[in-house]
Amino acid sequence: MTTLAADEYTVAPYRPVRFPERRPLVERRADGTLILSSASSPPTITENSFADFIPAWAAHRGDSPAFRERDENGAWRSISWRELWSQLQTVAAALLEMGLGQGRPLILLSGNSIEQAVLLLAAEYVGIPTAPVSPAYSTLSKDFARLKGVLELVPPAAVFVQDATQLERALAALAAFGLAETPVIAVRNGANVHRAWAGLLATDMTPARVERVAAAHAAIRENDTVRVLFTSGSTGSPKGVPLAYRNFKAVAAYYADNLGWLRESQPVFLDWLPWHHGLGGVLNLGRSIQFGATHHIDDGRPLPGLIERTVRNLREVSPTIFTSVPSAWAVLAGELERDPVLAGSLFADVQYFGYGGASLPTDVWHRIQRAAVKTVGKRIVFSTGLACTETSGMGTYCGWPSSDLGNIGGPVPGSEVKLLPLEGNDGRYEIRMRGANVFAGYIGNAALTAAAFDDEGFFRLGDAVRLADPADPGQGLLFAGRVVEDFKLTNGTWVRTGAVRLGLLDLCAPLISDAVICGHDHDFLAALAWPNVAACRRLFPELAELDAAALVQHPLVIAALRDRLASQKGGGASRVVERVMLMAEPPSIDANEIAEKGYVNQAVTRARRAHLIDELYRPEAAAHIARAR
């Protein structure tokens, strides 16, 4: 590593990226609505889904690893491209003989694994819909209400689990849901289930089975369902999002154009993002298959006690592209500053970084760029876009070097964007999307489907954006928060929650990891926030051994936050946050306060912690509440 002057890194060049240049087409309507599309058309490809790329990679990269993951002893275990293709065909034949197909889907209850990758791709290859479900529905839940909701929306013809013992309670609940006879496939501890994974792999590929697999593959139609993903939104009730082969093909065509250079040499990825979400299960998993990568399944998570596994893995794996959520990047920033081995590994070969699920705080971006320049002499581009499960994870994208965080770029080829001016005349727009990547409608809920689309077929994302340059839409769109999260103070002032949250995180960096903005029906803004425990401990020696419960009420921590709040300049979207209360209890996945990707649901958290908000707004604030004045 080299030694840098304080701001020297800000003028260092970026490592080049090879995204095609994009030019938007703009239609301006009399009511102020804008329609944006890409001047480029997506390329024509012959593959109908990601699984179609596997035979070629088995032939060209047969012995190189396709997937790797840690075993129970911490060593990496692998499956090669040749083995992946062989197992895919065998498992596909076994699933067809079990009677699975369109209308008879497979539910997956466990998290990412090599076996799950084989199963997802085998089903995809022969037209069997798969429905990966958040493991939290089967492991953390006490009443299995969400799991029951999923099973009612998508009655399974078979269920897959990695370890039958770990999911024993959930499997027992199947009987209560009327699914006692549904076949269960288990990789481990499957003595008491219907099918062991080893038995599927032992299927003899007779000529008749080979022919049946080929026939099922040939019979797939573009509107057939390939994957069902579940999104709960603010209600907590699962919504079934069926993605069709035409959706997957749209994403693959976009990748062929945007990331075609990845075919030149075998990419390397390390990824924890769950496959029951669009970003992890469609974009990142699909990218690895399409470009013949070595995909390392990260056993870490952006959570205390688990992020350390990601750090360990990144010391050993130098990814070609690395994507994670802002909460993970906040932790990695500190690790990169103190660990030159980690920095050397992460920055060695990476072409660009990605983030999603929430906006990246400016302080985190600066710290990572400073570490990159010290390590390799160049800054690394951070790219992001805007999409959702219903758009197959594809929509807009920003691939150019910029310190303008929150720039989500413009519509990618094949996707159209509609921008409708929002109330307040502050340059914000509601954003909607249309294209071959957009789903057709929710399972079993015609009313919800009708409400999700406007009269021109654009899907309503519920997000707000603004133009980075109102005179030039080619400069991209800036994410401006969730429309449904904004509220008014008692004086009628609109509060743009997303902007205020980011401003508070930057102001208080690195002492808080995330925040919930409060103030509806009040006359000033306040916030509930979670501490960055490691950063708070570093404030003073006497804090070094304290746990979160002690830190959130310690006078030294409260004083440090108070000093930051006092330095604010208020007004408009950056209006002063006058009080902050730290919380030791982390956001709850089971209560729908936080998604597994790390995005905090502001409305749900405010409702669940209403008693703390009442405390925030008492006339005489308690000593453990930091006040701006």
Side-chain angles (χ1 to χ4, degrees):
M1 282 193 177
T2 58
T3 301
L4 297 175
D7 296 325
E8 185 179 343
Y9 74 96
T10 62
V11 296
Y14 282 96
R15 179 170 282 171
V17 290
R18 298 168 60 183
F19 295 123
E21 291 189 14
R22 304 291 185 203
R23 182 172 60 86
L25 300 177
V26 184
E27 175 191 342
R28 298 182 184 270
R29 296 180 176 176
D31 63 356
T33 296
L34 303 178
I35 305 294
L36 307 182
S37 60
S38 175
S40 305
S41 298
T44 300
I45 63 173
T46 58
E47 294 84 2
N48 290 313
S49 74
F50 298 110
D52 282 352
F53 292 92
I54 295 175
W57 291 125
H60 293 101
R61 293 178 180 164
D63 293 329
S64 63
F67 289 93
R68 305 184 76 204
E69 70 174 328
R70 299 281 188 183
D71 64 18
E72 59 274 13
N73 298 315
W76 290 106
R77 70 181 185 106
S78 305
I79 183 173
S80 71
W81 278 100
R82 184 175 293 110
E83 291 168 333
L84 176 62
W85 175 229
S86 175
Q87 290 191 19
L88 179 155
Q89 296 173 86
T90 301
V91 171
L95 294 177
L96 290 172
E97 289 192 356
M98 292 173 64
L100 277 68
Q102 289 292 312
R104 291 182 55 77
L106 172 68
I107 294 277
L108 300 90
L109 301 185
S110 300
N112 303 4
S113 69
I114 288 176
E115 290 80 13
Q116 181 166 153
V118 172
L119 197 61
L120 287 171
L121 294 164
E124 180 180 319
Y125 191 76
V126 293
I128 298 169
T130 52
V133 178
S134 169
Y137 291 8
S138 300
T139 56
L140 300 181
S141 179
K142 295 180 174 62
D143 58 8
F144 301 112
R146 290 193 188 177
L147 178 60
K148 181 180 181 182
V150 164
L151 297 173
E152 289 174 345
L153 284 174
V154 185
V159 175
F160 170 82
V161 298
Q162 192 74 20
D163 190 319
T165 300
Q166 290 181 357
L167 274 73
E168 186 175 8
R169 289 177 55 248
L171 292 177
L174 293 179
F177 301 154
L179 299 171
E181 301 304 316
T182 301
V184 175
I185 303 166
V187 177
R188 292 191 296 272
N189 299 315
N192 296 320
V193 301
H194 301 81
R195 296 295 298 270
W197 178 255
L200 267 64
L201 293 182
T203 302
D204 182 16
M205 288 303 289
T206 63
R209 287 182 174 131
V210 171
E211 183 177 347
R212 186 174 186 185
V213 167
H217 178 68
I220 292 171
R221 299 294 178 261
E222 66 172 14
N223 289 322
D224 287 346
T225 299
V226 58
R227 193 79 48 81
V228 179
L229 301 179
F230 299 96
T231 177
S232 59
S234 61
T235 65
S237 300
K239 296 181 292 185
V241 179
L243 298 179
Y245 283 85
R246 66 176 177 84
N247 302 135
F248 273 41
K249 185 167 187 171
V251 176
Y254 161 61
Y255 271 164
D257 178 53
N258 207 49
L259 297 176
W261 48 272
L262 284 175
R263 296 182 64 90
E264 297 171 5
S265 59
Q266 187 169 16
V268 174
F269 300 125
L270 175 78
D271 190 41
W272 68 269
L273 288 161
W275 292 342
H276 57 270
H277 280 297
L279 179 55
V282 178
L283 295 190
N284 289 4
L285 179 60
R287 180 185 62 188
S288 291
I289 300 301
Q290 184 165 347
F291 297 108
T294 295
H295 183 113
H296 296 76
I297 298 172
D298 183 11
D299 57 345
R301 292 288 185 277
L303 297 169
L306 292 176
I307 190 66
E308 293 82 0
R309 298 183 186 180
T310 296
V311 171
R312 173 196 61 178
N313 292 335
L314 283 172
R315 290 194 185 101
E316 299 181 22
V317 178
S318 295
T320 306
I321 300 165
F322 186 70
T323 300
S324 198
V325 296
S327 58
W329 281 116
V331 177
L332 287 173
E335 296 295 329
L336 289 166
E337 288 167 339
R338 69 175 186 82
D339 187 342
V341 174
L342 172 66
S345 179
L346 178 58
F347 296 127
D349 300 319
V350 74
Q351 300 300 298
Y352 67 92
F353 292 137
Y355 65 95
S359 296
L360 187 71
T362 304
D363 170 74
V364 172
W365 183 89
H366 281 292
R367 292 165 65 198
I368 291 172
Q369 298 296 6
R370 187 182 294 112
V373 174
K374 285 183 178 180
T375 306
V376 296
K378 290 183 172 63
R379 289 183 287 176
I380 308 298
V381 171
F382 268 89
S383 294
T384 194
L386 183 66
C388 61
T389 303
E390 290 89 341
T391 68
S392 309
M394 167 185 155
T396 72
Y397 199 71
C398 177
W400 56 83
S402 175
S403 59
D404 191 9
L405 297 176
N407 194 321
I408 58 171
V412 302
S415 178
E416 290 181 279
V417 162
K418 178 191 282 190
L419 304 179
L420 294 89
L422 285 169
E423 179 185 354
N425 197 31
D426 61 355
R428 295 167 76 247
Y429 297 84
E430 179 198 345
I431 183 171
R432 302 176 184 178
M433 290 184 186
R434 181 172 69 182
N437 56 303
V438 179
F439 83 136
Y442 297 104
I443 293 175
N445 199 325
L448 192 61
T449 296
F453 293 91
D454 68 16
D455 57 1
E456 293 183 295
F458 283 89
F459 176 71
R460 309 171 194 264
L461 280 78
D463 292 317
V465 299
R466 64 178 73 248
L467 294 168
D469 181 350
D472 182 8
Q475 298 304 309
L477 304 171
L478 302 178
F479 182 70
R482 294 282 293 165
V483 175
V484 294
E485 290 182 347
D486 293 347
F487 57 85
K488 287 183 178 180
L489 296 173
T490 52
N491 63 9
T493 301
W494 271 106
V495 176
R496 308 308 185 192
T497 300
V500 175
R501 171 187 164 274
L502 271 181
L504 182 66
L505 292 180
D506 283 337
L507 180 74
C508 296
L511 299 182
I512 64 176
S513 60
D514 215 330
V516 174
I517 306 303
C518 309
H520 182 67
D521 289 336
H522 292 281
D523 58 3
F524 65 88
L525 287 177
L528 300 174
W530 288 278
N532 179 334
V533 172
C536 291
R537 285 172 173 167
R538 288 193 293 267
L539 281 172
F540 297 98
E542 55 264 48
L543 305 179
E545 302 300 325
L546 298 184
D547 61 13
L551 287 169
V552 300
Q553 300 208 14
H554 199 286
L556 292 175
V557 176
I558 306 306
L561 283 177
R562 183 174 62 242
D563 290 344
R564 285 164 166 78
L565 292 179
S567 69
Q568 293 177 103
K569 296 179 180 179
S574 301
R575 182 181 175 88
V576 171
V577 174
E578 298 190 10
R579 296 181 181 182
V580 173
M581 179 195 297
L582 293 179
M583 303 176 292
E585 180 197 355
S588 167
I589 290 178
D590 214 24
N592 201 37
E593 286 187 318
I594 188 170
E596 286 168 289
K597 291 187 295 182
Y599 181 78
V600 172
N601 189 318
Q602 298 271 320
V604 169
T605 306
R606 286 195 293 258
R608 182 171 181 264
R609 304 184 187 229
H611 61 292
L612 297 180
I613 297 175
D614 290 342
E615 188 176 349
L616 261 177
Y617 282 95
R618 288 174 183 166
E620 295 298 325
H624 63 275
I625 296 175
R627 291 157 289 177
R629 58 178 182 270

